[in-house]
Amino acid sequence: MSATATTCPYCGVGCGVLARVDAAGATHVEGDPQHGSNLGRLCVKGAALGETVDLHGRLLHPLLRESGAAPRRASWDEALNRVAKGFRRVIDAHGPDAVAFYVSGQLLTEDYYVVNKLAKGWLGTANIDTNSRLCMSSAVAGHKRAFGEDLVPGCYEDLEQAELVVLIGSNTAWCHPIVYQRIARAKEARPSLQVVVIDPRHTATCELADLHLPLKSGTDVWLFNGLLAFLFRHGAMHAGFVDGHTQGFEAALATAESDAGDPAEVARICGLQLADLLSFYRLFARHEKTVSVFSQGVNQASSGTDKVNSIINCHLLTGRIGRPGMGPFSITGQPNAMGGREVGGMANMLAAHMELDHPVHRDIVQTFWQSPHIAARAGLKAVDLFEAIEQGKVKAVWIMATNPVVSLPDADQVKRALARCELVVSSDIVAQTDTGAFAHVLLPALGWGEKDGMVTNSERRLSRQRAFLPAPGEARADWRIVCDVAQRMGFDRGFAFEAPHEIFDEHARLTAFRNHAPRDDTPMAACRVLDLGGLVGLERQAYDALAPVQWPVHAAGEGTARLFAEARFAHADGRARFVATAARAPVHAPDREYPLILNTGRVRDQWHTMTRTGKSPRLAVHTPEPFIDMHPRDALLCGVRDGELARISSRWGTMVARVQHGGGILAGNAFVPIHWNDQFASDARVGSVVNPVVDPISGEPEFKHTPIRVEPFPVRWHGFVLSRRPLATDDLTYWTSVQGQCFLRYEIAARELPSGCGAWARACLGAGDADADWLEYEDPSARIYRAAHVVDGRVEACVFFSPRPDLPSRAWLSGLFVKERLEDIDRVGLLVGEPLEAGADTGPIVCSCFGVGRNTLCEAIRTQGFTTPAQITASLHAGGNCGSCVPELKQLITEVHAAANA
Amino acid sequence: MSVAGARAVPRGKPKLVVIGNGMAGMRTVEELLQLTPDLYDIAVFGAEPYGNYNRILLSQLLSGEKGADEIMLNTPAWYAEHGIALHAGDPVVAIDRRRKRVRSRHGIELPYDRLLIATGSQPIVLPLPGKELPGVVGFRGIDDVERMLAAARSHHRAVVIGGGLLGIEAANGLSRQGMQVTLIHRSRVLLNQQVDADAAGLLERNLRARGLALRLDAETVALYGNERVEGVVLADGDRIDADLVVMAVGVHPDTALARSAGLHCERGIVVDDTLQTFDPRVYAVGECVQHRRATFGLVAPVWEQARVCASHLARFGHRRYRSTQTATKLKVTGIDLYSAGDFLGGAGTEDLVLRDPRSGVYKRLVLKDNRVIGAVLYGDVQDGAWYFELICDATDITLFRSRLLFGKSYCQALDERRTRAVA
């Protein structure tokens, strides 16, 4: 089969992917060299897409659940009627604002469009919000305040053309690897390119940095107000630009001066060395071509919108916007966060970049839709929405392609809310999720590779996601499910779509509809930058063949790489706005009871709640287990130890994770990844710990700053199990499951195993039969127990217990599961956890693409004297594909040489 | 006549007389010859009419895996070559310590300056009715083996009483010679002197698979038969027909001669750390001795006794015998079993256990104060010698405890990794 060009479904970089299904049915992917965003490159997550498209664990037909009962299979007819009638009943009894939709940046533009249209135009409620609220809404709000519309000015090429790239609150190396690599490659070619990383954590991204500012969490506005004042004082202002194209400069400067006029004071507040701060300020002042990349570290804060504007202010002051190699640059978290924003799939937007509270906009949209209603006031934003559900104000909610029980702050509140909601509908591709457990109706949607539509990435590039796999089971496209329900609610007109290109065409036409200054003949018109006029009227074929293009796409059909080339902004007067951003601290300060600040984020090889990446053995090895990364000093104060388990508590909830000292965490801070949930671990939903504080403007939660307490989580046994079959985890105090090649790995811990390790293990690993081929090793007084179950000469399962987390490496044991027969020598090693021959254990995987382990790398660095990642790549391939591990390779080189010189 | 003959020997070299041509005595002589080849005129008396042979291999002689010539250690020619007067088939019957002379059954009388007693042990004969019947044998010497082999050629059913090392080896040997063998053992646990119940269980399974009938936890109360033994009666009344009954219920030190000479004996001939008896001219080694309350049944301590005793006979006097740990190997082809030291453990001891029943492997080490004090290995005995070394050297195993039971090579691999990590 020839390759299908499609788009990666993970982060907002939006890489082009060529996907091919081989004769055996396996999916192979590679980067699309024709795609302008990635030019053929893929990160490790993208490269492992083929491992995530199997149907194991998929939701393949509708399910209905009466409260308390197990879900039962239902026909589409019954399920759709249940949704339609349920929504109708609630609206009739309680009004349209008693229903809500909570959707996702994983939806395609067409899906988003129809659900937004249904809510705002036909049901008459703006209660449609999205998980983009959790990652991008501060950027959206900041853009709207500064530019008059949600507009990202630049494109990825600017990163390569810049003289200075400032990465703010972004672990680009792990979260947007292809963007990072484009910067890295540019810097390699042109070492004068300066990179500054501003992040409380020392992340892998810092390996590229000329300067890292580990600022105190939440002090970004002081830093950028200080920069604004510094730039002004040092003559870096572009007076012509400020005078000619902006408004509000004086107020913004006055605020900046009063907050942050003295760099020494700024350094103190931000916890930085004054010299470092001034280096950054001078770098910024000196380099005309500066791009300020920002991401969740900026957005996910109670002052997120102000942070965005404080950054944009500096670009407005210096006039560095709208030209190649410069500008503020919001890097999106999700594949179609921007597409969702384009169609208006948020509670405080209408559609096509038009506003709910704007009568002309409402008229444009309602006229275009010819809809019975048009929502006139903002709906409930994510956090408020689930509070309203708990309060009983919202009685029916339809959740699409997202997992709020995991991802929202105060996530236990989300559980309480859903538990008392009259009707919870969940469209998903996965049968079992933490959220699905609360759903009354489960609707099977199409996943990546099956669905067909449009996504928009961080640089406004529209790309097609194309199907190359058949729809599995009874699964349907999200847009079709929504249209089906709409029709059953009596809304035939407006939802009679037969294919995604028809929906896209309608969306494109709406963007162009009355998109001009009011005229006498059409007074109800308004200019919008978002204009897809050039894509109106695409027939199926043209739509299918559409090459990636950056909006706006005007009638001529050409895309637009950069906005604001003429310094004309989307505010009515064409001027950009400085926003006076008075700095303020995060809402909840640490105190004696909760002394540490919890920061959250992604790890390199996982995505969101792991429903897809969790299936890939290749992606599981880099970070197999939920962890809390903290400073050794704090660990000592909290009484927890590296490698042991800790309970993490806030005023909102608790979780358990393994302590690690990654070396990049400031004292007083801690970091926990966002991915793990009840499907993959016993108690690792960091969302339940995060404070439900939101930015007053964007409604985006403050994920990066929750006061927490860390305590020991004592257990009697640490252990792990590798098993071909799923393990019953009931008796375990702690567990995490990790997908391996031909097996599942469980990291476990127990307080009490009443029957003893041996009996527990035999029963759990399917060796209850006395004749089972069961090997065991016991050192009872040291509380060490190890056993393995062999079936027909092939290892079926193995288990290791110890009172300490000093267990053998899982890497070599994992390899035994691929073998169809154990060799005698392996049988001996099975209970040691190591091969007899030194060097056969490659150690934990560092390079996921080529499966190169830490031991192998260290050995090669030591014996062959490698000093650069390139040498390692030449010899072992590691780092030569996606490059995500290059920062770690650099770190290993440093470590090995440091050890050798010690 | 002999007296006169003895007088004819010119007084030059001192005379060493060795009573017992077994492994202990001859090992001592060999050690002595290495130290001082010409110090003594040596004469050796032995009850059996052969040169010196390896008693340990009698099991394999019985099973047919070895021939009689293959188990010989020293041929008559060797004695001649070293100027040793060998009196085989002629045991010493009296010692006159006052006159420092010995007399043999055949009437040879020899004077000695130094006397070495190495009379070994006698199999225990259970005091059961019918124990004198033809067809009831012990398992001690070549002649016992020959009687068993003769029985195997003409008869079919055998009973072996005693599930210790010798009993199992005898049962296995007879089974290999084509007999239907029932092994009767008093304890529930085979080899209960040498291994623990887990290893014994594996052994039991293996033996049954070889076609042996096992009667464990069974006490023999009588033997019956007319012309010849025809079977045994168990305490529960069961009768087991047999044409051959082998008693392998243990041995006791053969002290009869020493006692008759007035040497101090308890269970064995009491010796000090130099293997000297209460008579300074008389030494004793091997299974006949008792050293600090211990008696001996295995070869390793006897080798050590021989080494120490030889040094004193050689007048070097620099060695002391210390009771050491002992190690046991079962000599049954296809069954690897090894035990050493205090393998049962007790208060204050810790266990490391590995069970792999499908592969027929069981290993257990007993630790005390981070030192190995006992080992039982079944199925994989490759590391037995190493564990024995660790026991004897009282090596602190803390650093490699986690790998200890997986053998020396794993521990060495760890050592190498540590070394490299440091380098």
Side-chain angles (χ1 to χ4, degrees):
Chain A
M1 171 181 164
S2 64
T4 302
T6 181
T7 311
C8 178
Y10 295 129
C11 78
V13 177
C15 296
V17 171
L18 295 176
R20 186 171 53 79
V21 181
D22 68 19
T27 297
H28 303 271
V29 299
E30 54 187 341
D32 181 354
Q34 305 297 321
H35 196 287
S37 296
N38 58 316
L39 306 168
R41 308 211 146 255
L42 284 184
C43 76
V44 60
K45 286 191 290 284
L49 273 167
E51 294 179 21
T52 67
V53 296
D54 67 277
L55 298 183
H56 183 74
R58 280 288 296 271
L59 179 64
L60 293 174
H61 42 72
L63 295 173
L64 295 178
R65 182 194 277 120
E66 316 306 330
S67 55
R72 67 174 170 86
R73 186 170 175 169
S75 68
W76 268 111
D77 217 33
E78 188 184 5
L80 292 168
N81 280 336
R82 176 87 169 267
V83 179
K85 283 182 182 155
F87 269 64
R88 172 56 64 206
R89 192 182 62 240
V90 170
I91 292 168
D92 289 348
H94 307 285
D97 287 338
V99 300
F101 299 84
Y102 185 64
V103 302
S104 162
Q106 317 278 299
L107 289 179
L108 304 181
T109 303
E110 292 81 358
D111 304 321
Y112 245 127
Y113 179 85
V114 291
V115 66
N116 187 56
K117 183 180 180 183
L118 173 64
K120 289 171 183 160
W122 266 258
L123 302 183
T125 179
N127 281 347
I128 167 170
D129 215 41
T130 157
N131 61 11
S132 296
R133 180 70 59 201
L134 313 183
C135 69
M136 295 318 303
S137 55
S138 293
V140 172
H143 291 154
K144 281 162 74 169
R145 289 203 300 187
F147 308 137
E149 199 175 321
D150 173 20
L151 302 169
V152 174
C155 59
Y156 298 153
E157 273 179 11
D158 290 331
L159 297 166
E160 292 153 342
Q161 295 172 4
E163 297 161 334
L164 169 65
V165 173
V166 186
L167 300 165
I168 312 146
S170 166
N171 183 7
T172 325
W174 282 13
C175 302
H176 301 99
I178 299 303
V179 161
Y180 175 81
Q181 284 174 49
R182 287 181 72 153
I183 302 169
R185 205 154 290 116
K187 186 168 170 58
E188 209 173 308
R190 187 165 49 83
S192 65
L193 167 60
Q194 298 290 297
V195 176
V196 177
V197 173
I198 299 172
D199 194 321
R201 289 195 295 152
H202 188 280
T203 62
T205 305
C206 298
E207 293 298 329
L208 187 65
D210 298 285
L211 176 64
H212 170 219
L213 298 182
L215 87 172
K216 192 178 156 196
S217 178
T219 59
D220 313 49
V221 175
W222 275 282
L223 181 70
F224 284 93
N225 279 351
L227 175 60
L228 192 75
F230 180 94
L231 293 170
F232 178 73
R233 285 187 197 171
H234 290 78
M237 179 163 98
H238 187 323
F241 183 88
V242 172
D243 290 346
H245 305 290
T246 69
Q247 254 193 33
F249 163 65
E250 288 78 9
L253 180 66
T255 303
E257 288 281 8
S258 86
D259 269 355
D262 174 14
E265 181 67 3
V266 174
R268 193 189 60 75
I269 292 170
C270 297
L272 299 170
Q273 300 290 326
L274 178 60
D276 289 345
L277 181 87
L278 290 173
S279 302
F280 165 55
Y281 284 1
R282 288 192 196 105
L283 276 173
F284 198 104
R286 203 177 298 142
H287 290 108
E288 171 79 358
K289 289 188 169 185
T290 294
V291 179
S292 301
V293 173
F294 58 94
S295 192
Q296 314 314 346
V298 168
N299 297 333
Q300 292 179 331
S302 56
S303 59
T305 308
D306 280 356
K307 288 187 187 182
V308 172
N309 285 109
S310 71
I311 295 166
I312 294 174
N313 284 347
C314 296
H315 281 267
L316 295 177
L317 182 86
T318 50
R320 295 174 188 164
I321 194 163
R323 288 176 286 149
M326 62 184 71
F329 201 159
S330 155
I331 299 287
T332 318
Q334 298 198 78
N336 199 32
M338 194 182 278
R341 286 140 63 183
E342 289 159 20
V343 300
M346 294 179 104
N348 54 339
M349 299 172 165
L350 180 53
H353 279 201
M354 288 178 277
E355 300 300 325
L356 286 158
D357 57 3
H358 197 305
V360 174
H361 286 180
R362 286 205 303 275
D363 183 73
I364 292 171
V365 176
Q366 189 170 15
T367 306
F368 179 82
W369 278 346
Q370 299 189 329
S371 61
H373 303 282
I374 195 76
R377 57 191 167 89
L380 295 162
K381 296 175 187 145
V383 172
D384 298 337
L385 169 60
F386 284 89
E387 274 169 17
I389 294 173
E390 190 181 9
Q391 290 158 8
K393 292 177 187 160
V394 169
K395 295 177 185 302
V397 63
W398 187 348
I399 298 164
M400 295 179 197
T402 187
N403 202 352
V405 170
V406 183
S407 50
L408 275 176
D410 192 10
D412 289 345
Q413 186 276 332
V414 178
K415 280 189 174 179
R416 293 196 299 274
L418 292 179
R420 61 163 304 182
C421 187
E422 278 180 28
L423 176 60
V424 178
V425 181
S426 170
S427 307
D428 211 305
I429 64 168
V430 177
Q432 291 195 340
T433 68
D434 294 11
T435 301
F438 293 88
H440 303 104
V441 184
L442 286 149
L443 303 173
L446 296 181
W448 181 82
E450 299 150 8
K451 59 186 183 181
D452 201 13
M454 198 72 76
V455 290
T456 310
N457 73 357
S458 298
E459 55 168 359
R460 289 172 284 102
R461 192 184 296 270
L462 297 158
S463 298
R464 291 276 283 105
Q465 262 197 28
R466 296 182 176 91
F468 57 89
L469 294 166
E474 298 178 10
R476 292 183 184 176
D478 284 290
W479 64 264
R480 190 178 286 282
I481 301 173
V482 172
C483 290
D484 286 345
V485 168
Q487 287 173 343
R488 275 158 210 264
M489 293 181 82
F491 312 138
D492 281 333
R493 200 175 44 77
F495 297 94
F497 298 109
E498 282 307 316
H501 73 276
E502 298 172 10
I503 304 170
F504 184 77
D505 179 56
E506 183 174 308
H507 165 56
R509 283 191 289 113
L510 175 57
T511 64
F513 185 61
R514 300 192 199 155
N515 188 348
H516 51 76
R519 294 191 300 249
D520 290 345
D521 58 335
T522 43
M524 300 300 261
C527 272
R528 286 100 66 194
V529 174
L530 173 62
D531 178 4
L532 305 179
L535 300 175
V536 165
L538 289 182
E539 289 300 317
R540 172 96 221 191
Q541 233 175 344
Y543 173 80
D544 281 344
L546 184 70
V549 59
Q550 285 169 281
W551 63 256
V553 188
H554 298 296
E558 291 291 311
T560 312
R562 289 179 193 85
L563 303 174
F564 314 140
E566 271 101 52
R568 188 170 169 77
F569 296 90
H571 285 293
D573 59 7
R575 286 171 176 266
R577 300 288 189 273
F578 281 90
V579 179
T581 51
R584 58 183 192 275
V587 171
H588 292 292
D591 53 27
R592 284 177 66 97
E593 212 179 334
Y594 298 96
L596 301 177
I597 298 165
L598 171 69
N599 184 0
T600 65
R602 289 176 178 158
V603 299
R604 195 187 81 185
D605 290 0
Q606 293 297 345
W607 171 259
H608 282 195
T609 65
M610 302 169 69
T611 48
R612 286 173 293 165
T613 46
K615 290 174 134 188
S616 162
R618 177 153 43 140
L619 298 179
V621 286
H622 182 264
T623 308
E625 210 182 354
F627 62 86
I628 176 166
D629 192 359
M630 58 195 298
H631 192 278
R633 188 205 75 162
D634 293 326
L636 196 64
L637 289 172
C638 296
V640 298
R641 293 173 62 165
D642 189 20
E644 295 189 349
L645 295 169
R647 179 184 293 284
I648 301 142
S649 326
S650 72
R651 294 198 165 81
W652 295 271
T654 68
M655 64 172 291
V656 178
R658 201 172 292 285
V659 175
Q660 81 174 37
H661 302 320
I665 303 290
L666 288 169
N669 289 254
F671 176 85
V672 174
I674 61 171
H675 309 290
W676 278 268
N677 55 72
D678 292 354
Q679 310 303 313
F680 295 90
S682 49
D683 193 8
R685 280 161 51 250
V686 73
S688 66
V689 178
V690 172
N691 49 203
V693 168
V694 298
D695 179 283
I697 300 160
S698 69
E700 178 155 351
E702 188 149 64
F703 281 108
K704 302 294 192 191
H705 196 288
T706 303
I708 55 160
R709 180 170 65 216
V710 176
E711 299 159 297
F713 184 77
V715 294
R716 193 165 162 79
W717 286 283
H718 291 269
F720 68 84
V721 166
L722 308 182
S723 171
R724 292 187 192 271
R725 294 189 303 174
L727 183 73
T729 50
D730 309 343
D731 293 335
L732 299 171
T733 317
Y734 168 91
W735 62 270
T736 300
S737 75
V738 188
Q739 181 67 53
Q741 184 87 46
C742 307
F743 66 95
L744 282 165
R745 162 177 164 194
Y746 291 85
E747 294 295 323
I748 61 180
R751 294 224 170 103
E752 290 299 329
L753 289 173
S755 54
C757 291
W760 178 85
R762 274 198 94 121
C764 272
L765 302 186
D769 181 0
D771 285 338
D773 188 357
W774 180 256
L775 302 71
E776 62 185 353
Y777 167 78
E778 257 186 301
D779 184 348
S781 52
R783 259 187 281 143
I784 287 170
Y785 180 84
R786 301 167 178 182
H789 186 202
V790 177
V791 173
D792 297 333
R794 193 177 80 151
V795 61
E796 178 70 17
C798 61
V799 54
F800 284 69
F801 276 115
S802 168
R804 290 171 303 280
D806 60 343
L807 298 154
S809 152
R810 287 63 157 169
W812 180 77
L813 285 167
S814 299
L816 298 183
F817 281 79
V818 185
K819 297 188 177 182
E820 275 309 306
R821 266 205 97 70
L822 279 181
E823 290 158 42
D824 287 348
I825 183 115
D826 293 338
R827 195 174 165 102
V828 177
L830 201 48
L831 293 181
V832 192
E834 271 179 42
L836 183 52
E837 196 184 324
D841 179 12
T842 58
I845 297 295
V846 174
C847 172
S848 302
C849 294
F850 294 106
V852 186
R854 190 189 159 90
N855 294 355
T856 311
L857 289 165
C858 290
E859 181 72 15
I861 294 167
R862 186 166 39 236
T863 56
Q864 307 192 46
F866 293 147
T867 53
T868 66
Q871 292 169 323
I872 296 178
T873 304
S875 164
L876 299 169
H877 303 301
N881 185 41
C882 78
S884 312
C885 63
V886 170
E888 285 158 272
L889 297 183
K890 285 186 184 170
Q891 208 176 337
L892 281 182
I893 291 170
T894 312
E895 280 174 20
V896 170
H897 291 307
N901 296 332
Chain B
M1 72 151 195
S2 313
V3 177
R7 272 191 188 138
V9 175
R11 285 207 71 88
K13 291 193 209 172
K15 294 166 187 62
L16 170 66
V17 170
V18 181
I19 304 174
N21 188 24
M23 294 173 75
M26 291 321 296
R27 180 66 167 232
T28 310
V29 169
E30 287 174 25
E31 293 272 0
L32 177 63
L33 291 176
Q34 285 211 340
L35 291 172
T36 54
D38 300 315
L39 182 58
Y40 289 105
D41 276 330
I42 302 174
V44 176
F45 290 87
E48 294 180 88
Y50 317 101
N52 169 242
Y53 65 90
N54 186 343
R55 204 176 295 280
I56 298 169
L57 294 179
L58 284 178
S59 300
Q60 298 190 23
L61 185 64
L62 175 64
S63 65
E65 288 160 90
K66 292 246 189 303
D69 51 335
E70 286 175 281
I71 72 168
M72 287 301 159
L73 290 172
N74 294 315
T75 58
W78 178 87
Y79 291 85
E81 194 180 308
H82 289 85
I84 298 169
L86 172 64
H87 305 278
D90 186 13
V92 170
V93 293
I95 303 168
D96 180 346
R97 291 200 286 134
R98 199 169 52 80
R99 294 171 56 217
K100 294 188 286 176
R101 299 181 81 86
V102 300
R103 178 165 50 81
S104 77
R105 180 183 290 160
H106 293 167
I108 297 176
E109 252 191 67
L110 284 184
Y112 65 84
D113 295 291
R114 290 287 181 276
L115 181 65
L116 176 61
I117 303 177
T119 45
S121 59
Q122 288 292 329
I124 293 173
V125 179
L126 295 171
L128 302 175
K131 65 180 162 56
E132 301 85 1
L133 284 169
V136 179
V137 300
F139 185 17
R140 178 65 192 161
I142 287 183
D143 52 341
D144 293 327
V145 174
E146 281 174 351
R147 281 151 71 193
M148 286 192 255
L149 289 175
R153 280 189 289 273
S154 53
H155 296 82
H156 285 299
R157 295 162 306 180
V159 156
V160 176
I161 303 173
L165 287 170
L166 276 181
I168 291 170
E169 288 170 18
N172 177 64
L174 292 171
S175 170
R176 286 185 61 124
Q177 294 296 342
M179 296 191 87
Q180 280 174 21
V181 183
T182 303
L183 179 63
I184 299 169
H185 189 49
R186 281 177 67 167
S187 163
R188 177 70 199 80
V189 178
L190 284 174
L191 277 186
N192 51 315
Q193 297 292 308
Q194 279 81 23
V195 304
D196 60 7
D198 284 289
L202 287 175
L203 173 64
E204 189 185 321
R205 221 165 63 184
N206 186 307
L207 294 177
R208 288 192 201 276
R210 287 163 179 253
L212 290 183
L214 299 182
R215 292 295 302 259
L216 302 178
D217 206 5
E219 178 139 21
T220 313
V221 292
L223 288 71
Y224 57 88
N226 296 319
E227 301 292 303
R228 181 186 173 85
V229 71
E230 289 168 20
V232 301
V233 185
L234 301 183
D236 62 7
D238 276 6
R239 295 164 78 88
I240 301 169
D241 292 340
D243 314 307
L244 173 70
V245 173
V246 181
M247 283 199 193
V249 293
V251 295
H252 57 76
D254 188 347
T255 56
L257 179 66
R259 280 180 204 280
S260 71
L263 282 171
H264 178 64
C265 295
E266 290 172 4
R267 279 182 298 140
I269 305 166
V270 176
V271 294
D272 65 10
D273 289 355
T274 65
L275 284 310
Q276 200 173 43
T277 68
F278 275 48
D279 179 339
R281 297 177 188 278
V282 181
Y283 289 79
V285 292
E287 296 185 351
C288 61
V289 308
Q290 175 182 337
H291 174 259
R292 300 188 180 212
R293 287 194 290 282
T295 56
F296 305 89
L298 299 166
V299 74
V302 172
W303 281 174
E304 178 62 13
Q305 288 172 7
R307 214 169 69 90
V308 173
C309 185
S311 79
H312 289 278
L313 289 173
R315 300 177 182 165
F316 291 171
H318 60 294
R319 290 191 174 124
R320 288 286 179 281
Y321 179 72
R322 294 268 179 275
S323 239
T324 52
Q325 300 291 341
T326 53
T328 306
K329 258 186 111 134
L330 182 68
K331 292 164 293 293
V332 172
T333 303
I335 299 180
D336 291 318
L337 198 154
Y338 184 96
S339 84
D342 174 7
F343 55 86
L344 290 175
T349 65
E350 302 178 88
D351 283 347
L352 305 181
V353 186
L354 187 147
R355 299 184 191 88
D356 182 357
R358 183 65 63 91
S359 306
V361 172
Y362 171 85
K363 301 189 198 185
R364 170 180 160 127
L365 295 179
V366 180
L367 309 182
K368 189 167 190 177
D369 301 330
N370 296 317
R371 281 154 177 87
V372 185
I373 62 164
V376 180
L377 308 176
Y378 184 94
D380 173 8
V381 298
Q382 192 183 325
D383 290 296
W386 183 57
Y387 294 135
F388 190 62
E389 202 178 300
L390 295 177
I391 293 173
C392 296
D393 298 348
T395 309
D396 187 326
I397 50 79
T398 309
L399 278 179
F400 49 100
R401 174 174 176 147
S402 62
R403 289 154 177 264
L404 185 60
L405 198 48
F406 299 99
K408 189 178 186 181
S409 43
Y410 264 104
C411 295
Q412 281 176 338
L414 176 70
D415 230 33
E416 277 165 30
R417 272 169 232 189
R418 285 211 177 114
T419 313
R420 281 190 313 162
V422 170

